[in-house]
Amino acid sequence: MNAQYGILRFAKYKGPEIGHIEAHNERTKEKYASNPDVDVSKSKYNFHLVKPKRKYRAEAEKQIAEKGCRTRSDSVRVVEALVTASPDFFKGKKRAEIKEYFSYALEFIKAHQDE
């Protein structure tokens, strides 16, 4: 068996690109020219741990307003956290085990973020 790795990546988004990441994450396109490795036939296996209540940009603006933050036109509005693992890690795992892995990762991030 190959080495297994946990992967955690953060990316900052300021404005119009938030709609693009939403389209990518929610798999609203039929094809992805920028990433031909995306297999949309597997999108049915995706799940949300936190289901967005509205569009990403609208949710970000709501949370920013609720915290009383002031923003400029070039302010970061969304910090995306990507959690995954090497493909070998997921081999032979049941859906419940995979969901448990991601639930644990979400709780880890929540426990270690500053508000």
Side-chain angles (χ1 to χ4, degrees):
M1 180 187 293
N2 293 332
Q4 300 175 14
Y5 298 96
I7 300 165
L8 178 60
R9 177 186 62 86
F10 293 93
K12 298 177 185 179
Y13 298 99
K14 296 180 178 184
E17 68 268 24
I18 296 170
H20 301 299
I21 63 164
E22 179 175 16
H24 176 77
N25 292 348
E26 301 299 328
R27 298 294 192 249
T28 59
K29 298 179 183 180
E30 290 184 27
K31 282 191 166 189
Y32 290 84
S34 63
N35 188 351
D37 293 336
V38 172
D39 183 351
V40 293
S41 71
K42 293 182 179 179
S43 294
K44 63 186 173 197
Y45 301 114
N46 294 349
F47 57 86
H48 285 92
L49 294 176
V50 178
K51 179 78 173 149
K53 295 177 184 166
R54 54 194 59 79
K55 297 279 189 187
Y56 287 18
R57 178 71 185 257
E59 181 62 29
E61 296 299 339
K62 178 183 174 289
Q63 290 182 24
I64 289 167
E66 285 175 351
K67 295 291 184 179
C69 298
R70 295 184 353 207
T71 59
R72 300 184 319 241
S73 61
D74 65 343
S75 293
V76 170
R77 287 178 165 66
V78 171
V79 177
E80 177 184 51
L82 171 74
V83 177
T84 190
S86 54
D88 283 346
F89 174 80
F90 294 108
K91 285 184 181 168
K93 292 214 176 8
K94 295 180 179 166
R95 187 170 174 85
E97 293 173 301
I98 293 169
K99 200 165 189 173
E100 182 180 349
Y101 168 77
F102 288 113
S103 295
Y104 181 84
L106 176 61
E107 293 308 313
F108 177 88
I109 290 169
K110 284 180 178 180
H112 292 86
Q113 74 176 3
D114 294 330
E115 286 199 36

